[in-house]
Amino acid sequence: MNTLVEKYIKKESLPYIFCPGCGNGIVLNATIHAIEALGIKEDTACVSGIGCSSWIPPYLNMDVMHTIHGRAIAFAEGLKLSQPKKNIIVFTGDGDCLAIGGNHLLHAAKRNINITVIMVNNYIYGMTGGQKSPTTPIDARTKTSPYGAMDEPIDGCGVAISAGATFCSRWTVGHPNQLKKAIREGITHNGFSFIEVLSPCPVQAGKSIFKERDSWKIIQRIKENAVVTSKWEGGDKEGKMTIGNFKKELKRKEYTEKIQNLKDEIIYKSNGR
Amino acid sequence: MLKQKVIEIHGEKVIQGNEACSEAAIHVGCKFFAGYPITPSTEIIEYMSESLYKNEGMFIQMEDEISAMCAILGARWGGKKSMTATSGPGFTLMQEALGYGIVTETPTVVVNVQRGGPATGQPTFSSQQDVYQAKYGSHGDYEIICITPSSVQEMFDFTIKAFNLSEKYRTPVILLTDEIIGHMRERIIIPDCIEIEEKEYVKRCEEPFGRDDQHIPHAGNFFEGRNILVEGQLHDEKGRRIGHIAQKSGEFIRALTGKIRDNHKDLTDITYKYLEDADIAIIAFGSVVRSAERTVKMAREYGIKAGLIKVNIIWPFPEDEIYRLAGHIKTVIVPEMNMGKYCLEIERCLKKSKVISVPKLGGNIHKPMELFEIIKKEKNLQ
């Protein structure tokens, strides 16, 4: 067995809950490589919400919180504030992060708190059986949009950037090396990091959106429909979805660091009195 | 195990109920507060925003009550004692995450300074309408510990008790108070020494959710190299989901509720007065106790053998103790600032007595004379 697998995966929890062809395995792989490269396994905790992508961390041989729908970022903020020196990685999905948990994304980004959010976007509610999600393309026929989705999809990276995220990347599972690097950078970045991963769901999105059951073909379609840009200039370019490392801002101070400075100041003042 | 802690600045002072609660939390070692402002609990979040940073703690004002409840659970797994405070609508929003705290057996304290409901209801008026929400608010089968202070002194003392019980039983504890107690200013005595529950646990324990003989799971925190999986689905001793296995799920729920049900003796806290010869008694909790006590004294002066039973921990329901104390008393009066809720439990328990529910709606507390009139009527002393 691969030594990384032995180190990071709880063998007794296997097999995975994921369907064949799911993109979650690639995200898990990229995250494990990033954590291993940084050598931070003992100092890292993972938090996830509800949905397919939120089943990524429970298999990890690490400290993990598998929480309630939409609130992973809120749990992560509490954990981070209680242990400001540790790394917190949040796994979430398009529904978990942008629908029910949208408010928490906005405010965590606004605070610039040092957590890394990995949002796996498969364009659909997979676990409940293929209903419309906030990123489902317009006109797509899903179980809850049988006449076609009426509303425009939302761009997670656009939301995160405009709310104040200081690190933002988007890649597809067809870019495993770039993804690995982005996750590594996101973890080391001192501030709120948002990484979106475009991922195939051959079972649900394959049925209703891509009309294609072959995972690899869906990945190719996602890749073909994406264009790499080096900085954020909006969610699409020439009708294609932008991907790449969009933003890395170092000027804004990180939230827990601000609190620490404030605490030092308060204690200094009270001692001086 | 309870450990002593000396409080340097102790003695008498006059403070508000919400302040007493906050001050007690700091003394008992609360190091994390997340909240969202809501009347009439706001003084607590204000107090904590100023004092936690000075006391090696962390404070955050969250975007809503849902995230506040989530954040305090996250912080507790980071190893910090945590608390939040809210009222009516906020308490409703917290219920899902409160259920997560119960199923993951996370110690924390939730203060609900009750106001009138439903919905926006009566933001500035008092009520006791949330007694059932405190017990049954989240979905599914569970048991909860719910403490009801009836004075500013008890706001201080019971906040400490709430933290200690949450650590001992590894469960969220509800401090169910109301606007009257929260906003009242009274003389209290800050003791020179308090007792704090500090659980000893096996650092390298392989089964963080394995239980001792009282069904209480082993404690633990993140970042101790234990690789803890905190899982919201029903789970086994290692945190792995068992929600798809009927037998194991049933056993889990039995243990989760058992740790409170089987320890009901330890969780019984009732104070009583003038019960020795009483043939009529008032059973009350929270702010209403104040009126009830005055009423009982008036009745005694009048020559009526009236007694008072004050329930300090309302959930789990102290069935055995209430029966022991009042099972033989002919008439029992249950005044509450709601449409008559807790009296249903009393009726269930005291089948031989005549149980009179005295609901009070609108936001005002029962006046002692109102209750005294009921006693007189029962005694045919008009």
Side-chain angles (χ1 to χ4, degrees):
Chain A
M1 213 179 190
N2 183 319
T3 50
L4 270 189
V5 172
E6 276 187 26
K7 185 172 172 187
Y8 282 89
I9 301 293
K10 283 181 191 151
K11 267 187 276 179
E12 76 263 21
S13 298
L14 297 176
Y16 295 114
I17 202 170
F18 312 134
C19 309
C22 178
N24 283 348
I26 297 171
V27 182
L28 177 62
N29 183 308
T31 312
I32 289 175
H33 275 97
I35 293 172
E36 179 66 13
L38 293 168
I40 52 164
K41 182 174 176 288
E42 303 303 314
D43 298 318
T44 305
C46 297
V47 183
S48 66
I50 295 292
C52 295
S53 54
S54 294
W55 275 103
I56 294 173
Y59 296 93
L60 285 170
N61 213 355
M62 293 167 67
D63 288 323
V64 173
M65 276 186 108
H66 187 197
T67 70
I68 53 178
H69 197 23
R71 320 299 172 199
I73 293 175
F75 279 92
E77 282 176 280
L79 190 55
K80 177 71 186 178
L81 283 162
S82 70
Q83 295 288 347
K85 296 206 173 105
K86 306 293 182 184
N87 309 293
I88 316 290
I89 304 172
V90 173
F91 290 88
T92 179
D94 42 323
D96 197 52
C97 187
L98 298 174
I100 186 167
N103 198 16
H104 312 307
L105 171 65
L106 292 184
H107 285 266
K110 164 188 174 286
R111 292 183 185 108
N112 194 28
I113 185 166
N114 186 7
I115 57 176
T116 307
V117 175
I118 301 172
M119 187 189 88
V120 184
N121 178 1
N122 62 359
Y123 309 96
I124 199 123
Y125 284 98
M127 190 143 274
T128 46
Q131 296 80 16
K132 187 179 76 96
S133 93
T135 56
T136 299
I138 199 156
D139 294 335
R141 292 185 180 201
T142 69
K143 295 265 181 71
T144 50
S145 57
Y147 307 106
M150 282 180 278
D151 43 344
E152 290 285 341
I154 195 167
D155 189 312
C157 290
V159 171
I161 287 174
S162 44
T166 47
F167 181 96
C168 186
S169 283
R170 173 156 60 205
W171 291 102
T172 79
V173 293
H175 298 88
N177 288 324
Q178 290 91 329
L179 179 61
K180 216 182 292 176
K181 205 165 158 248
I183 294 174
R184 209 169 63 197
E185 279 198 43
I187 295 171
T188 46
H189 174 71
N190 190 21
F192 186 79
S193 313
F194 185 81
I195 298 154
E196 180 177 349
V197 191
L198 304 178
S199 176
C201 170
V203 177
Q204 305 297 357
K207 206 181 332 182
S208 55
I209 298 169
F210 293 96
K211 314 287 181 204
E212 171 64 67
R213 301 301 284 266
D214 185 322
S215 180
W216 175 237
K217 285 182 181 161
I218 298 176
I219 294 176
Q220 280 180 318
R221 291 248 307 265
I222 295 173
K223 277 179 85 171
E224 280 162 15
N225 194 36
V227 54
V228 180
T229 60
S230 58
K231 65 174 188 187
W232 179 252
E233 288 165 342
D236 60 52
K237 195 177 174 185
E238 295 145 13
K240 291 185 171 185
M241 198 170 198
T242 52
I243 55 171
N245 296 319
F246 296 136
K247 188 179 175 186
K248 187 171 185 174
E249 186 196 319
L250 301 168
K251 268 186 270 170
R252 264 183 75 200
K253 264 216 165 150
E254 196 269 329
Y255 190 69
T256 55
E257 228 175 71
K258 273 189 189 171
I259 294 181
Q260 195 49 54
N261 291 347
L262 175 67
K263 276 170 138 181
D264 293 344
E265 203 178 310
I266 292 168
I267 290 164
Y268 177 77
K269 270 186 190 164
S270 65
N271 286 346
R273 233 173 251 164
Chain B
M1 203 169 72
L2 287 168
K3 285 190 180 154
Q4 308 280 327
K5 187 197 167 192
V6 174
I7 299 180
E8 277 177 31
I9 305 166
H10 54 268
E12 282 182 40
K13 62 171 157 181
V14 175
I15 51 170
Q16 194 196 45
N18 282 343
E19 289 169 2
C21 168
S22 318
E23 199 171 324
I26 299 282
H27 285 310
V28 80
C30 173
K31 297 282 183 221
F32 186 86
F33 186 98
Y36 187 84
I38 183 166
T39 307
S41 74
T42 314
E43 291 82 5
I44 300 179
I45 187 174
E46 287 175 355
Y47 189 105
M48 295 309 251
S49 72
E50 202 208 330
S51 56
L52 262 176
Y53 293 149
K54 294 179 193 162
N55 288 283
E56 295 153 9
M58 275 287 188
F59 166 85
I60 185 169
Q61 179 172 331
M62 294 301 283
E63 52 273 19
D64 54 24
E65 285 90 348
I66 300 172
S67 49
M69 186 69 217
C70 297
I72 63 168
L73 296 173
R76 185 59 189 83
W77 283 101
K80 300 285 154 62
K81 280 188 190 174
S82 62
M83 176 171 108
T84 188
T86 188
S87 183
F91 194 54
T92 304
L93 287 177
M94 286 178 182
Q95 293 300 329
E96 189 196 5
L98 177 66
Y100 182 85
I102 287 158
V103 96
T104 56
E105 305 183 65
T106 313
T108 195
V109 173
V110 180
V111 183
N112 177 6
V113 187
Q114 291 170 99
R115 68 190 220 185
T120 312
Q122 295 175 284
T124 58
F125 273 62
S126 194
S127 96
Q128 293 181 322
Q129 296 170 351
D130 303 347
V131 278
Y132 278 149
Q133 194 187 20
K135 185 172 166 66
Y136 297 114
S138 200
H139 58 278
D141 279 342
Y142 64 94
E143 287 284 348
I144 198 135
I145 302 171
C146 177
I147 314 183
T148 48
S150 67
S151 65
V152 176
Q153 181 72 55
E154 283 184 352
M155 275 293 255
F156 186 92
D157 298 342
F158 289 4
T159 300
I160 291 167
K161 195 184 182 84
F163 273 96
N164 287 345
L165 289 177
S166 80
E167 292 293 324
K168 184 173 179 186
Y169 289 101
R170 286 201 65 85
T171 185
V173 171
I174 313 283
L175 188 79
L176 190 70
T177 179
D178 55 61
E179 188 274 338
I180 292 173
I181 304 298
H183 282 167
M184 186 160 63
R185 288 182 187 276
E186 274 187 318
R187 184 186 75 111
I188 72 160
I189 297 166
I190 310 280
D192 53 7
C193 184
I194 58 169
E195 284 185 323
I196 298 177
E197 178 77 40
E198 264 175 42
K199 226 169 166 172
E200 283 170 21
Y201 61 95
V202 195
K203 278 237 164 175
R204 302 293 314 179
C205 172
E206 295 288 314
E207 297 182 344
F209 298 97
R211 293 170 193 281
D212 63 13
D213 50 4
Q214 288 182 303
H215 310 303
I216 302 166
H218 311 301
N221 298 319
F222 275 18
F223 308 114
E224 290 174 349
R226 306 175 72 204
N227 300 332
I228 300 175
L229 170 58
V230 180
E231 172 63 67
Q233 256 199 49
L234 305 191
H235 46 262
D236 64 9
E237 55 286 335
K238 287 187 174 175
R240 294 169 301 193
R241 69 183 179 125
I242 52 161
H244 56 298
I245 309 166
Q247 195 205 340
K248 282 188 179 177
S249 296
E251 283 165 13
F252 176 86
I253 293 294
R254 269 190 290 280
L256 186 72
T257 51
K259 76 175 174 184
I260 293 182
R261 287 191 173 185
D262 297 356
N263 291 304
H264 66 94
K265 275 199 182 133
D266 182 46
L267 290 167
T268 295
D269 185 352
I270 287 179
T271 40
Y272 52 90
K273 273 180 182 169
Y274 319 111
L275 270 192
E276 317 74 50
D277 58 346
D279 55 11
I280 188 162
I282 302 183
I283 300 182
F285 60 91
S287 55
V288 178
V289 168
R290 308 297 284 269
S291 292
E293 192 168 351
R294 179 85 191 100
T295 310
V296 169
K297 278 182 191 155
M298 278 160 75
R300 283 276 162 183
E301 282 162 20
Y302 207 81
I304 300 169
K305 289 176 182 164
L308 174 73
I309 294 174
K310 167 174 170 293
V311 188
N312 299 329
I313 299 182
I314 58 165
W315 308 119
F317 183 65
E319 204 166 328
D320 294 355
E321 185 69 357
I322 294 224
Y323 185 76
R324 188 182 73 80
L325 292 170
H328 60 283
I329 296 176
K330 261 189 252 164
T331 312
V332 171
I333 299 167
V334 188
E336 297 169 81
M337 289 175 69
N338 55 41
M339 55 189 280
K341 286 178 167 159
Y342 202 62
C343 67
L344 298 176
E345 295 287 333
I346 309 277
E347 269 170 19
R348 188 173 62 76
C349 170
L350 303 178
K351 290 210 172 67
K352 283 180 248 163
S353 315
K354 179 182 178 188
V355 177
I356 301 169
S357 170
V358 188
K360 182 92 182 175
L361 299 172
N364 288 331
I365 194 169
H366 303 70
K367 290 196 178 94
M369 269 319 273
E370 281 172 44
L371 298 175
F372 186 46
E373 288 301 323
I374 294 166
I375 290 180
K376 280 208 293 189
K377 197 176 152 201
E378 283 307 308
K379 289 275 169 194
N380 296 319
L381 295 167
Q382 285 300 348

